[in-house]
């Protein structure tokens, strides 16, 4: 009995490690040493990344370091990775809202940390660490929303692009300030921005470190909607209500929808088609499909 349980535990752990590897971009073969950079990042503490999973299948991820406009300290980067792992293992999940504490989104990486790891090796490892985490975030089978209040600057702007949708509150601003810091995006925000707004607009936003308010973001297709409220709790309620139009329904179907779109977004066409076939197989003849066949709804 104990041996069977142990074997089962080992199998589950191995499966999780393999899944994380498959969903990540970098490993040892790329000269990436995850344990080394995690140890380094742990030296720079402060703030937290909080996750609450609600019964409606929507999770709320809060960037919590309001003293520094929710800038990412080292421990927050590590905590973000842990929360993403938790979300990968949340089988009832359908949606995710990412927001910042204290009426603002995130001012990027903590400049005190940036200064301490300004050598090339640490910088490249931090870049690979954050790309791995944000790529796994983007690939979650959850429909995700960045709720942008106040400012989303630098790495904060990059984080918004790892979500499926961006909702902005009145007066909020997304700004890729990297150029003014003598940098380019390194958390994957450049590549994702090109796919969201196209290369011309991305060049304008990155090359000019442009301020993007709700109106311009809507015009560019960077944001979906300007919410009516700028106040934290109200805006969160409005974001929840907006997201629920896509997360209503059985978890397996909502997750399948996200997986089909994620495959179409990332894979070459033939691979995406094959993946779509696999995902189709998980819902065809499933409970929601059979119930619908009994109900025979008219889609008027
Ligand atoms: C991945 C690459 C990156 O992310 S590089 C980092 C890019 N981000 C930045 O350069 C943001 C720098 N900060 C700013 O421009 C301003 O603080 C912004 C965000 C516009 C907010 O301005 P304002 O509303 O006037 O507030 P403030 O400047 O008084 O800030 C409040 C306190 O927060 C701090 N803060 C802000 N951002 C960061 C940051 N990224 N790292 C470290 N600290 C940050 C400010 O220094 C200020 O602290 P203090 O009150 O002076 O002790």
């Amino acid at each position: 009995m104990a041996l069977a349980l142990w074997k089962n535990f080992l199998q589950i752990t191995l499966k999780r490690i393999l899944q994380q590897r498959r969903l990540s971009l970098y490993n040892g073969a790329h000269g990436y040493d995850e344990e080394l950079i995690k140890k380094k990042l742990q030296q720079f503490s402060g703030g937290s990344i909080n996750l609450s999973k609600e019964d409606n299948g929507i999770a709320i991820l809060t960037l919590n370091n309001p003293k520094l406009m929710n800038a990412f300290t080292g421990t927050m980067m590590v905590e973000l990775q842990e929360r993403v792992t938790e979300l990968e293992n949340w089988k009832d999940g359908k949606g995710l809202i990412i927001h910042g504490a204290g009426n603002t989104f995130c001012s990027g990486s903590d400049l005190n940390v940036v200064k301490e790891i300004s050598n090339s090796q640490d910088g490249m490892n931090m870049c690979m660490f954050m790309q791995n985490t944000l790529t796994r975030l983007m690939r979650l089978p959850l429909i995700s929303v960045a709720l942008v209040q106040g400012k989303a600057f630098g790495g904060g702007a990059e984080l918004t692009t790892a979500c499926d949708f961006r909702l902005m509150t009145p007066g909020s601003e997304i700004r890729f300030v990297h150029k003014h810091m003598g940098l380019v995006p390194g958390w994957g925000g450049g590549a994702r921005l090109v796919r969201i707004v196209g290369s011309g607009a991305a060049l304008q936003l990155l090359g000019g470190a442009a301020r993007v308010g709700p109106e311009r973001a809507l015009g560019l297709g960077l944001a979906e909607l300007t919410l009516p409220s700028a106040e934290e709790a109200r805006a969160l309620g409005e974001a929840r209500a907006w997201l629920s139009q896509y997360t209503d329904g059985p978890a397996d179907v909502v997750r399948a929808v996200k997986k089909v779109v994620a495959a179409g977004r990332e894979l070459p066409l033939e691979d995406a088609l094959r993946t779509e076939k696999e995902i189709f197989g998980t819902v065809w003849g499933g409970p929601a499909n059979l119930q619908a066949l009994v109900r025979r709804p008219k889609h008027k």
Side-chain angles (χ1 to χ4, degrees):
M1 175 70 173
L3 186 67
L5 279 176
W6 178 242
K7 264 190 174 171
N8 194 25
F9 169 76
L10 278 183
Q11 268 175 354
I12 291 172
T13 310
L14 187 67
K15 205 172 145 198
R16 276 190 190 158
I17 292 171
L18 287 175
Q19 187 201 22
Q20 280 172 21
R21 279 227 179 135
R22 189 169 49 81
L23 294 169
S24 298
L25 286 176
Y26 304 107
N27 54 46
H30 304 95
Y32 172 57
D33 185 342
E34 178 161 308
E35 286 318 307
L36 191 74
I37 186 64
K38 268 171 101 165
K39 241 190 211 162
K40 188 95 193 189
L41 292 172
Q42 297 280 16
Q43 293 168 20
F44 308 105
S45 60
S48 62
I49 305 287
N50 306 335
L51 181 65
S52 87
K53 292 180 269 184
E54 301 180 343
D55 291 343
N56 58 7
I58 294 180
I60 311 291
L61 189 89
T62 308
L63 315 173
N64 182 31
N65 191 13
K67 262 197 321 208
L68 302 186
M69 310 294 284
N70 300 324
F72 267 91
T73 61
T75 49
M76 284 170 72
M77 292 184 200
V78 175
E79 278 186 34
L80 180 66
Q81 186 201 47
E82 290 165 1
R83 301 292 98 87
V84 168
T85 303
E86 208 176 325
L87 288 167
E88 284 170 345
N89 295 323
W90 186 36
K91 300 303 173 206
D92 300 326
K94 299 191 276 185
L96 171 67
I97 298 173
I98 302 183
H99 77 134
N103 270 320
T104 193
F105 188 75
C106 170
S107 64
S109 41
D110 178 347
L111 293 171
N112 307 300
V113 179
V114 172
K115 208 167 140 201
E116 293 297 323
I117 62 166
S118 58
N119 66 80
S120 162
Q121 192 198 22
D122 286 344
M124 293 309 284
N125 270 323
M126 185 274 291
C127 164
M128 289 189 271
F129 182 81
M130 287 305 287
Q131 280 201 16
N132 270 353
T133 302
L134 295 186
T135 302
R136 285 170 56 198
L137 174 72
M138 181 182 75
R139 291 176 175 168
L140 285 170
L142 308 173
I143 301 177
S144 57
V145 167
L147 165 55
V148 182
Q149 287 178 275
K151 304 205 185 321
F153 276 20
E158 295 194 63
L159 171 57
T160 72
T161 64
C163 293
D164 298 311
F165 299 114
R166 283 144 296 280
L167 302 179
M168 296 179 74
T169 61
S172 63
E173 194 178 304
I174 297 176
R175 193 170 179 199
F176 294 83
V177 296
H178 304 74
K179 188 180 164 209
H180 289 171
M181 300 298 297
L183 289 173
V184 294
W187 294 1
R192 290 188 298 267
L193 183 67
V194 169
R195 279 159 180 76
I196 296 168
V197 300
S199 60
L203 208 46
Q204 289 174 3
L205 301 193
L206 299 181
R211 295 174 192 278
V212 186
E215 201 176 321
R216 186 165 181 198
L218 286 177
L220 288 170
L222 183 58
E224 314 303 315
L225 184 72
T226 309
L227 296 173
S229 305
E231 189 274 321
E232 195 174 344
R234 278 207 198 149
L236 192 54
E238 287 161 6
R240 237 189 230 110
W242 184 87
L243 179 57
S244 69
Q245 66 184 309
Y246 304 114
T247 54
D248 273 353
D252 57 341
V253 179
V254 175
R255 292 164 71 88
V257 168
K258 168 66 191 276
K259 286 180 195 170
V260 165
V261 172
R265 182 162 64 191
E266 283 199 58
L267 299 174
L269 183 62
E270 289 192 6
D271 293 338
L273 291 171
R274 287 193 191 98
T275 305
E276 185 172 311
K277 183 217 27 133
E278 295 300 322
I279 298 163
F280 175 76
T282 66
V283 287
W284 175 261
N289 178 222
L290 294 178
Q291 281 165 22
L293 289 173
V294 171
R295 281 199 321 273
R296 291 184 66 117
K298 291 201 190 298
H299 311 283
K300 288 183 179 169

